[in-house]
Amino acid sequence: MLTKPTLTEHRSPWVVFTSPADPWLASETAALVQRNGLVLRVDGREMCDPGSVFRTFARELSFLGYFGHNWDALVDCLHDWHGPGHGNQDLAILIDHADDLLKSDFLGLFVSVLAQAAWNSNLRLDADGELDEWRQRIAQHFVFLLDHTAPAAFTEKAARGMDVAVALADGRLLVTLTDVDWPGGDPASAPWTPGPLSFADKEILSGRNIEGIELFRDHLGCSIHEALDILQSRSEYLRRDHSNG
């Protein structure tokens, strides 16, 4: 059973997709600010490619000049953050107007990078999975805010991220890292579903879409409508993959 996501505690999910009107968001950001935490916002409409992702984060989070403008550097700078509060305050980063990121080819990698940064910050572990005594443990979480797209539509693409697992609950898409490769992460089992979501590929490729929808529903515990969104995304990916092959 999944507990409600948090922006104030040192636990997963590390990344949440939801609506800006979600009452959970207002409650959690208010609680974070009340505890002297920070809520920072970046504009998803500016992130049309990896380069623009790096520029947006560097500008809005005041990264230092050594930021290398690549994915590994983004993990490092989010982990070793020197912006307002100098990295000593709990932090929620909200990605506003994130709908168009559904069209990007880098979404899975982007989500995985954010999850890795949050894992590092929340658990205060180094790259070898050992306790890093030199770093303060801070709560760090990321929220993608969707103006007109259902969070479930992002499930399949998010699940392609390295080592991530996904879950759907209360209309939100939740992302974590599993303890198979990330010590202290969540078990790679129910209620989390590790990606990529290939378990319905046989049904999709055979045109048995009803069976595919039922598999997504049963594996992810989602509604039929959410399962249909996921099936459509997976179908498009498989069509591109086979046409390129």
Side-chain angles (χ1 to χ4, degrees):
M1 181 70 178
L2 282 167
T3 57
K4 187 171 288 190
T6 177
L7 298 180
T8 61
E9 300 176 26
H10 302 288
R11 63 171 175 83
S12 72
W14 310 129
V15 181
V16 178
F17 290 76
T18 191
S19 161
D22 186 347
W24 166 83
L25 178 70
S27 174
E28 283 293 313
T29 52
L32 182 62
V33 171
Q34 188 174 24
R35 293 175 47 160
N36 198 37
L38 292 173
V39 178
L40 301 182
R41 311 186 86 105
V42 296
D43 192 336
R45 294 171 297 189
E46 297 184 12
M47 302 179 191
C48 56
D49 54 38
S52 58
V53 171
F54 306 142
R55 289 191 297 272
T56 300
F57 270 79
R59 181 186 70 242
E60 298 300 331
L61 274 72
S62 303
F63 285 169
L64 298 183
Y66 63 74
F67 176 51
H69 288 259
N70 58 62
W71 294 115
D72 288 338
L74 183 57
V75 173
D76 291 341
C77 279
L78 287 170
H79 180 205
D80 190 22
W81 187 58
H82 293 278
H86 305 287
N88 295 321
Q89 291 173 273
D90 293 336
L91 175 66
I93 298 176
L94 311 185
I95 302 173
D96 291 305
H97 314 298
D99 302 73
D100 285 348
L101 284 166
L102 184 58
K103 304 172 187 175
S104 70
D105 293 329
F106 60 85
L107 179 64
L109 179 56
F110 186 21
V111 170
S112 176
V113 161
L114 297 181
Q116 290 174 41
W119 174 86
N120 284 329
S121 297
N122 280 274
L123 301 182
R124 200 175 64 182
L125 301 177
D126 62 21
D128 297 318
E130 302 294 333
L131 182 66
D132 189 340
E133 297 180 356
W134 298 101
R135 295 184 187 274
Q136 179 175 326
R137 189 182 186 197
I138 67 167
Q140 185 182 89
H141 298 86
F142 300 88
V143 184
F144 287 77
L145 296 175
L146 309 175
D147 296 322
H148 51 77
T149 309
F154 281 75
T155 305
E156 194 273 331
K157 275 199 169 183
R160 295 183 210 162
M162 184 180 69
D163 299 332
V164 304
V166 297
L168 288 160
D170 300 321
R172 306 179 191 104
L173 170 62
L174 314 177
V175 180
T176 191
L177 296 170
T178 66
D179 59 6
V180 173
D181 297 294
W182 300 89
D186 290 288
S189 60
W192 296 105
T193 302
L197 304 183
S198 58
F199 48 79
D201 286 0
K202 181 178 178 181
E203 285 73 17
I204 293 171
L205 293 171
S206 300
R208 305 198 309 273
N209 288 342
I210 297 300
E211 294 178 35
I213 289 171
E214 290 174 347
L215 281 172
F216 284 123
R217 179 197 62 190
D218 294 343
H219 274 77
L220 295 165
C222 60
S223 70
I224 288 291
H225 292 296
E226 290 173 328
L228 177 59
D229 284 337
I230 298 164
L231 179 132
Q232 289 173 337
S233 177
R234 186 67 184 172
S235 297
E236 291 171 7
Y237 172 74
L238 292 173
R239 279 198 300 269
R240 289 198 303 270
D241 188 52
H242 279 256
S243 63
N244 292 336

